[in-house]
Structure formats: structure tokens, C-alpha cells
Amino acid sequence: MRHIISILLENEPGALSRVVGLFSQRHYNIESLTVAPTEDRTLSRLTITTIGDDRKIEQITKHLNKLIDVVKLVDLTEGAHIERELMLVKVKAAGAQRAEIKRTTDIFRGQIVDVTSTVYSIQLTGTSDKLDSFLDAIGNSSVLEVARTGVTGISRGEKVLSL
Amino acid sequence: MELLSGGEMLIRALHDEGVELLFGYPGGAALHIYDAIFNQDKVEHILVRHEQAATHAADGYARATGRPGVVLVTSGPGATNAITGIATAFMDSIPMVVISGQVDSSLIGSDAFQETDMVGISRPIVKHSFMVQSAEDIPIIVKKAFYIATTGRPGPVVIDVPKDVTDPARKFEYRYPESVKMRSYSVPSKGHTGQIRKAVEILLSAKRPVIYAGGGVIQGNASDLLTRMARILGYPVTNTLMGLGAFPAPDKQFVGMLGMHGTYEANMAMHGSDVVLGIGVRFDDRVTNAVSKFCPGAKILHVDIDPASISKTVSADVPIVGSVTSVLEEMIELIRQSETQIDKKSLDMWWQQIEGWRAKDCLKVTDAGNDVIKPQQAVQAVYEATKGEAYVSSDVGQHQMFAAQYYHFNKPRRWINSGGLGTMGFGFPAAMGVQLAFPDAISVCITGEGSIQMCIQELATCLQYGLPVKIVCLNNQSLGMVKQWQDMQYGGRYSHSTYAESLPDFVKLVEAYGHVGIRVTKLSELSQKMEEAFALKNRLVFVDVYVDPSEHVYPMAIKGGSMKDMYLSKTERT
Ligand SMILES: Cc1ncc(C[n+]2csc(CCOP(=O)(O)OP(=O)(O)O)c2C)c(N)n1
Ligand SMILES: [Mg+2]
């Protein structure tokens, strides 16, 4: 199963490499990874999506917790949560295609953020599934370039990940 | 307040941390630090002859004393030479602090002379690491390094120190912090009482219990508590390779080491048990054999300080995360209070069954004939000559397993061996570390002619510091353990495991280094020569014992089987 693990990490040099190193060292896979400082400059928030059975995910969270730079973590997929990913995609848009692509973009609540006579650059946010579906809808042959941020997330309700 | 340079701070902080000894080897990036060492007499520096030996010596010191071992090396090759020893300590959870010199901060990343990314290279084999950014941070970093290395599940910590940070011209106010708190690091102490209660009830209701205790009991200084609890219960106890000495081997309740080369009775008991209490163990693959066939009828109670060790390979029915001392104390108390009575009748029957297995006498040694020495007999001779009181380090191979099987450790911290990484070259430097920690004790390294050549240069260190280490080399003129596997799995094709024609004359070799060498080739002379060697209390003696090269280590687990699947000799299996 796919899990989204959010981590508060000491904002120290080398901290990120310890997390990433742990995944490669122990043959865990990283589907996506996002990281940026939080409102508290001494902490970074890192979100990793990974795939594994319960046993593997338990080992992953235990080993992450053992890293000295990891202050706190939560497996967002254990409860109700909001997940978002941002995608910028460049598609061929010439002639009759232009209207069709515009319509699809609207349906997915995306925005066309740059235009040339033959190309649209589209911005889209949502769950990874939604972004995948958009790409399917546009069709492989039209897609010129895709840049995705990877997933970030937060739990629903009162629960917070903070110190 | 005192003004000190970064180099001075480093050494002063070690002293304030209670460090008496450090093992190291100088070089460019570490020279400011070495100058700071020269100008003081509180922390003693031992000059080894290879950085790998510095880490193993510090490791041996740590295993024997329970105090952290400390290492100082220079950048680049000094740092990389230390890697094997850091990995060895990491695998066996040994507290160690390794200080490595680094090129000037301004040169980092420029492929400068003797630059290597030590923090990066060591990352997967350390508990944590630091790169010092400014000299003012040295006291708090040293404090944190020792705190992390010695608490929880111990392990090595690296401090990488750029040369400019130790500049003698730049002085700073020095104050050593009394304590340290880290928001991101907490040490588990007490186990969950509800879980412990549950474990105790299961343990007391057991019909065929086994207590399986490992290195964590030694690291956690819980051998006395373990022994006390085992005596109250009257249950059989087995130790892992790392746990030998956690429970006294001569005790009737001890069924021997378990695992790949464990005793028949220990492995049979594990397989037939209905309750296994694992304490300070990690269900290593060298113990369990095929995990899917492991202890089919047993409930697993697992106590360890590291949550990640629990249910990693074998799922625990009752997991308990906590320090072994606190958990054992609580267990003993709960056993006393519990209304559940031990089922004496079942326990008696269980012991009868175990005695039946024990009667097989799987470690019996039969003379080879022709005055040929069996390697097991050499270990027995060491045991007798030292009256079981020695600190015994070993290298890796057949001799290591024979030492584990035939030297009966009755105290913790006496058996010093690289269990997790299996590092040839570990034994001799580790024995030096032990000897420095306990100058009056017997420190003996049981080694092979293969392993000893991986750190033989330390003979010079022993001469310099007058370390009367005893080296007993079970010379089978081959990489015996490799050869054994080639016998058993590769049709006796000895691919690169023999070299009899090119072995050095070890007696002459150690004499060249200023020590005493004794060669033993006949069984009839073995015990007398061994006594002679150990009688030379103030000299390093190398006893080169020519042993039967065809001998195999048995019992030996049959790969892919359960714990009860063993070869018992070249011709017999379970
Ligand atoms: C550094 C290192 N290299 C290789 C090995 C693999 N290995 C394990 S045992 C062994 C043979 C050891 O020979 P020796 O020290 O003579 O011991 P013996 O088995 O003959 O008693 C080897 C090569 C190892 N454990 N460590
Ligand atoms: Mg050998």
C-alpha cells in the first residue's frame, strides 16, 4: 500500500541525506519526496510517499524515528488527510487541439499559465491520482514536458504535526 | 573563563567527558589536535600502526569496560582506514567516538589533498555524525557525541573536524556543558508495564520455555539480573555469539550457544519450545536459520531497547521496548507477585528432554591420533592455562567458533568478538584495547593465521606500550572457514583458500618485533607450552599452534532449514 509519511526534520546540513540514505541503504523505495523549511526556521518538513506492506512501513517509520535529526513524524495515510501535488505540464496546442485542451484543463480546474502559438503550459494541483488522470485525458502524444513536485500533505481536523 | 583553541578544546572536552585513553594516528589535517595532545598529560594517546587497529582497539576497550572507545585519525586515508572498525562497532552496537581531521573548511568540496567526505562515507555505519562548523561548537558537539554514542542502543559517532577549526592562533572561551538535551533524541527507559505483565504470565504458564539472551544483556549491564531471573524460573538459557558470558556458561541451566554453530541441545530446545523469551537479541539470520520455519510452536516475547529490532525478522507476540535492566527488574518483581504457578511437571519433562539432547555431547572432541592437535584442544588448553579468567578476543573463522564453543565464559564482557560484521583483523587490536583497560588481566586473542595477518603490524604498538597480550594462533594453514564451506558446498574445490607454502614463520616474525614466539606442533606438548606462554606475564607471546587442517566446525545449521536441522559431523545430520 502507498503511504505518505510526513517528517519534521532538524534543519541541519546533511539531515536530508540521512533520510534519503536510509531509504537506499535498506532497500525502501521513495515514490516522491518534498522538503522545505517550516515557519520555525530550525525545522524542515519533509514528505515522502513510499510503498510497502504493514511490516515494511513499520520498519521504515521505526528507522526514521531512530535518525537523530528526525524530530517527529506521522504516517498521514493512517488517518483522514489532505494530499496535494502540483504539476506544471507543457502540451502541444495547435489548431483544433487548443479548445479541447482548454476545456479539459477547466474540467480539472487547472490553469493555463503560459501560451505560445503552439504550446500551452498548464498548472494543476490535486492528488497524484488526479494529476495522473489529467495526463491520461490529454493523451501522451500531446504532452511535451511534465514537472511534478511530489506529494505534500496534512492531516484533517484538529491533529497537527508540530513540536 | 579560559581561552582555548579548537584543538585544545577538543582534548579538554574529552578529558571533561572522562576519557582516559584515545587511539589514533596523526596526519596533516589532525596536526593542530596532535599539538594540543602534546601539551597536556590528562588524556593518554596510544599510537597504533594502522587506523583500522585504532578503531578495533577502542572497540575492544569499550566492550571490556562498558565505557566508550575514542579514536582520532586524520582526513582522507586516515578516515577511510577507520571505516572497517566503525562498521564493526556499529553492527555490534558498541559505544565509540571517532574524531577525524578534515581539510580546511574553505577547501571542502574542491578535491583538496587528502579530502574525503567522511560524514558521507560513514553515514550508513554510524549512529550519528557531526561536522564541526566553528570552534565554539566543539564542547557541545563532543557532549552530544558521547551522549548519543553511549545511551539507548549504543553505537559509533563520528566528529569530522576541519583543520581551520582547530587553529592554535584562534582562541575561544571554553566551558564544558554539564548535560545535554536534544529534542530529537530520546532514550527509551522503562518498558510498558502492561506488556511486561503479559509477558510474565505467558512465561510462567510455559511448558517448554527457553530464555534466549544476547549482546544487549551485556551492553545493558543486565547479566546479574538475567541470571537472577533465570534461577528463579529454573528455565534453560541459551546465549547468542554476542551474548556469551551474559549467563555463566558452567551453570547447569546453560544449554550453550545457539544458532549456526550452536549446540545441538540449544537449537533443539529453541525449535521445540512453546515460549521463547528473547532479551537483548535481534533474531539474526545466523540464529534463526529460515525465518519461516523458526520455532513453529513458540510464542515470542521480545525485549529490546531498539524498537526497530522488534518484529524486524521474526514477529513478536509480546514486544517490549525498554532498557534490559529496567524490564528485567520489573519482570522479577512481577514473577514474585504472580499467582500463576510454574508447571513443575511440564518443566521437569522439558528438562528431561533437554538432558537427552545434551547427552549427545555434540562438542565432544576425539583425538586426531598421531600427536596431531585438534583446534578445539588448543582452545581447551587456553581455557585451562587461564583458568577461565581471561579476556578472550577473537578474529573471524573456524577459530572464532571454536573459541565460542570451548572457552566457557562465566562473566560478561570477557568475550570480545566481531559478531555482526565478522571482521578479520579485529581480534588482536581489540585485545590491545582490553589490555590497556586492564593492565593486570590476561588478554588473549584466539586467532587464525589468516586473520592475524590483517592487523599484524600492531605487534609494534604492543612493544611500544609494553602490552603483554597473548596471541594463540590456531594455524590450520588455510582460510579454514572458507575451506569448510568449499568442502560442504563446492565439492572441495579450494578456490583461493589455501596458502600453506607461503606462510610466514610466525615465531621469527614476532621475534623481529621484539616479542616471544612459541611453536606447538604436537598434542603431547600442547598444555605444557601453553602454560609456559601464559607464565610469561610481562611479555607478548605468540603461540603458533599447528592444528588439524581438515577439521570442520560442528554443529552447523543446514541452510534453508529450521533450527533443528544441523550437521553434527562430516557424516551425521539431524
Ligand atoms: C575482512 C574479512 N575478509 C574476508 C572475510 C571472510 N572470511 C570469513 S572466515 C575467513 C577465513 C579466516 O581464516 P583464518 O583467520 O585462518 O581462520 P580459520 O577459519 O582458518 O580458523 C574468511 C576469509 C572476513 N570475515 N573478513
Ligand atoms: Mg586458518
Side-chain angles (χ1 to χ4, degrees):
Chain A
M1 203 186 119
R2 175 171 168 273
H3 287 251
I4 305 173
I5 299 171
S6 255
I7 303 168
L8 288 181
L9 191 68
E10 294 285 3
N11 195 359
E12 299 265 355
L16 180 61
S17 73
R18 290 182 213 275
V19 174
V20 176
L22 173 71
F23 274 76
S24 67
Q25 175 188 352
R26 294 195 179 265
H27 273 229
Y28 305 146
N29 84 322
I30 297 183
E31 295 278 300
S32 77
L33 168 76
T34 66
V35 59
T38 64
E39 77 288 0
D40 172 351
R41 302 298 296 181
T42 67
L43 287 175
S44 301
R45 181 165 176 142
L46 200 139
T47 306
I48 291 177
T49 53
T50 182
I51 290 176
D53 56 20
D54 288 354
R55 195 192 185 92
K56 190 153 199 171
I57 298 299
E58 183 181 324
Q59 278 293 311
I60 290 175
T61 54
K62 281 174 166 178
H63 279 290
L64 282 170
N65 265 316
K66 273 177 73 175
L67 292 178
I68 310 287
D69 286 331
V70 168
V71 186
K72 241 182 186 174
L73 68 79
V74 60
D75 180 352
L76 290 174
T77 21
E78 274 181 355
H81 64 280
I82 300 153
E83 104 175 56
R84 288 292 178 272
E85 185 174 0
L86 178 109
M87 172 167 75
L88 294 172
V89 50
K90 207 169 264 201
V91 297
K92 273 188 265 181
Q97 278 178 308
R98 291 177 83 86
E100 178 61 27
I101 288 170
K102 171 81 172 75
R103 204 163 32 240
T104 312
T105 305
D106 288 342
I107 292 170
F108 280 85
R109 296 187 202 201
Q111 290 161 289
I112 298 173
V113 291
D114 191 48
V115 181
T116 72
S117 56
T118 54
V119 169
Y120 278 160
S121 294
I122 302 164
Q123 168 189 316
L124 196 68
T125 53
T127 63
S128 305
D129 277 352
K130 177 178 152 183
L131 305 191
D132 292 343
S133 309
F134 178 75
L135 292 176
D136 284 347
I138 293 283
N140 251 345
S141 56
S142 311
V143 174
L144 296 169
E145 184 181 349
V146 176
R148 295 171 69 150
T149 58
V151 174
T152 189
I154 203 162
S155 53
R156 285 189 186 275
E158 318 253 297
K159 229 167 86 185
V160 291
L161 178 64
S162 70
L163 293 192
Chain B
M1 222 180 274
E2 231 177 327
L3 290 178
L4 297 180
S5 72
E8 289 166 341
M9 279 201 225
L10 207 50
I11 301 305
R12 177 67 70 81
L14 293 180
H15 174 64
D16 286 338
E17 193 53 49
V19 174
E20 291 165 354
L21 272 182
L22 98 133
F23 301 87
Y25 206 85
L31 285 186
H32 294 333
I33 307 172
Y34 271 88
D35 201 45
I37 292 175
F38 189 83
N39 290 321
Q40 56 88 52
D41 58 5
K42 293 186 171 116
V43 182
E44 190 189 355
H45 178 276
I46 305 295
L47 177 69
V48 294
R49 297 300 186 271
H50 188 302
E51 291 87 351
Q52 180 182 347
T55 50
H56 292 330
D59 182 324
Y61 174 92
R63 289 179 203 239
T65 61
R67 298 197 296 271
V70 186
V71 175
L72 172 60
V73 295
T74 190
S75 67
T80 54
N81 272 351
I83 289 292
T84 300
I86 298 173
T88 303
F90 181 71
M91 287 295 276
D92 290 344
S93 312
I94 304 304
M96 182 186 287
V97 173
V98 178
I99 299 165
S100 51
Q102 181 56 278
V103 299
D104 277 355
S105 309
S106 60
L107 295 176
I108 291 177
S110 70
D111 302 321
F113 177 61
Q114 295 195 329
E115 178 187 357
T116 192
D117 175 10
M118 180 57 167
V119 167
I121 287 178
S122 63
R123 190 194 43 70
I125 51 161
V126 295
K127 188 168 169 190
H128 196 55
S129 50
F130 296 91
M131 159 76 84
V132 181
Q133 315 270 354
S134 83
E136 290 114 306
D137 297 339
I138 287 175
I140 186 67
I141 286 178
V142 171
K143 186 81 202 172
K144 281 184 183 171
F146 278 87
Y147 177 61
I148 292 169
T150 55
T151 52
R153 180 174 177 176
V157 175
V158 162
I159 308 178
D160 202 31
V161 191
K163 187 170 183 181
D164 52 306
V165 163
T166 58
D167 184 354
R170 291 165 51 220
K171 307 242 176 189
F172 303 86
E173 284 186 356
Y174 172 83
R175 193 182 64 82
Y176 196 65
E178 297 208 332
S179 63
V180 62
K181 248 193 104 174
M182 299 171 69
R183 63 179 175 184
S184 57
Y185 177 66
S186 63
V187 178
S189 51
K190 280 179 59 96
H192 187 283
T193 302
Q195 290 288 89
I196 298 177
R197 196 179 297 275
K198 204 163 131 195
V200 163
E201 286 309 309
I202 293 173
L203 197 58
L204 288 173
S205 317
K207 295 191 187 318
R208 300 182 311 279
V210 178
I211 299 173
Y212 149 46
V217 174
I218 293 175
Q219 293 284 324
N221 296 315
S223 302
D224 287 347
L225 285 167
L226 170 75
T227 307
R228 187 151 16 117
M229 185 181 77
R231 295 241 169 87
I232 295 170
L233 293 167
Y235 291 175
V237 182
T238 178
N239 284 158
T240 64
L241 178 67
M242 293 307 300
L244 294 176
F247 187 80
D251 195 291
K252 276 296 276 181
Q253 274 172 254
F254 189 61
V255 295
M257 179 171 79
L258 82 172
M260 178 169 270
H261 294 296
T263 63
Y264 177 68
E265 52 270 33
N267 288 341
M268 293 302 283
M270 284 291 286
H271 188 80
S273 65
D274 70 338
V275 173
V276 168
L277 170 62
I279 313 177
V281 292
R282 54 192 181 93
F283 294 83
D284 181 77
D285 54 277
R286 283 292 185 271
V287 164
T288 59
N289 210 355
V291 168
S292 58
K293 299 176 188 165
F294 177 73
C295 296
K299 279 213 159 59
I300 309 287
L301 321 175
H302 190 182
V303 182
D304 201 274
I305 198 157
D306 179 7
S309 279
I310 290 175
S311 299
K312 180 173 64 177
T313 56
V314 172
S315 287
D317 295 290
V318 185
I320 301 171
V321 178
S323 85
V324 278
T325 39
S326 76
V327 173
L328 280 170
E329 270 165 10
E330 219 173 320
M331 286 185 94
I332 291 171
E333 194 47 42
L334 289 170
I335 289 168
R336 289 230 170 85
Q337 289 167 11
S338 176
E339 320 236 294
T340 312
Q341 296 289 316
I342 292 173
D343 179 351
K344 282 270 187 286
K345 218 169 112 212
S346 299
L347 186 60
D348 281 349
M349 276 167 56
W350 180 226
W351 268 116
Q352 267 172 37
Q353 200 172 359
I354 291 172
E355 291 306 339
W357 291 323
R358 192 167 3 216
K360 203 164 183 78
D361 202 2
C362 68
L363 297 180
K364 191 167 75 192
V365 187
T366 35
D367 274 358
N370 291 332
D371 224 4
V372 169
I373 303 168
K374 287 262 186 115
Q376 298 92 326
Q377 292 170 322
V379 177
Q380 287 171 332
V382 175
Y383 184 67
E384 276 150 33
T386 59
K387 304 183 179 60
E389 287 296 324
Y391 287 83
V392 180
S393 72
S394 85
D395 274 296
V396 176
Q398 292 183 320
H399 63 273
Q400 173 193 29
M401 292 303 137
F402 290 133
Q405 292 174 329
Y406 292 90
Y407 201 100
H408 308 293
F409 296 93
N410 64 357
K411 289 189 190 122
R413 302 196 177 281
R414 295 298 172 107
W415 168 235
I416 314 285
N417 99 115
S418 164
L421 198 66
T423 309
M424 290 171 68
F426 170 83
F428 177 31
M432 298 191 322
V434 172
Q435 192 76 78
L436 280 155
F438 300 110
D440 299 327
I442 306 171
S443 176
V444 50
C445 169
I446 296 180
T447 185
E449 80 302 317
S451 296
I452 193 65
Q453 293 187 75
M454 286 208 181
C455 268
I456 192 88
Q457 75 287 342
E458 296 308 313
L459 287 167
T461 310
C462 287
L463 188 73
Q464 181 174 355
Y465 297 95
L467 304 179
V469 169
K470 303 294 179 283
I471 300 170
V472 176
C473 178
L474 308 195
N475 192 338
N476 53 12
Q477 305 171 57
S478 60
L479 301 172
M481 190 56 98
V482 172
K483 198 162 141 270
Q484 172 167 349
W485 284 50
Q486 289 169 338
D487 276 329
M488 297 173 78
Q489 294 172 29
Y490 299 92
R493 294 183 296 280
Y494 297 146
S495 181
H496 300 273
S497 55
T498 56
Y499 41 44
E501 61 296 330
S502 56
L503 277 175
D505 179 334
F506 285 110
V507 171
K508 278 196 190 147
L509 182 78
V510 295
E511 282 171 2
Y513 274 98
H515 302 297
V516 180
I518 297 176
R519 180 167 299 122
V520 192
T521 55
K522 297 194 178 96
L523 180 62
S524 52
E525 294 173 349
L526 176 64
S527 56
Q528 181 219 327
K529 294 223 162 155
M530 203 62 84
E531 295 288 343
E532 254 172 56
F534 284 94
L536 291 170
K537 293 230 177 317
N538 300 318
R539 299 297 298 274
L540 182 148
V541 185
F542 188 111
V543 191
D544 189 19
V545 189
Y546 275 70
V547 296
D548 181 355
S550 68
E551 190 66 357
H552 285 180
V553 182
Y554 293 108
M556 180 168 174
I558 300 174
K559 198 172 153 49
S562 71
M563 284 193 79
K564 74 169 173 21
D565 298 312
M566 290 167 265
Y567 296 109
L568 297 170
S569 71
K570 283 182 186 171
T571 52
E572 195 188 359
R573 53 164 294 173
T574 55

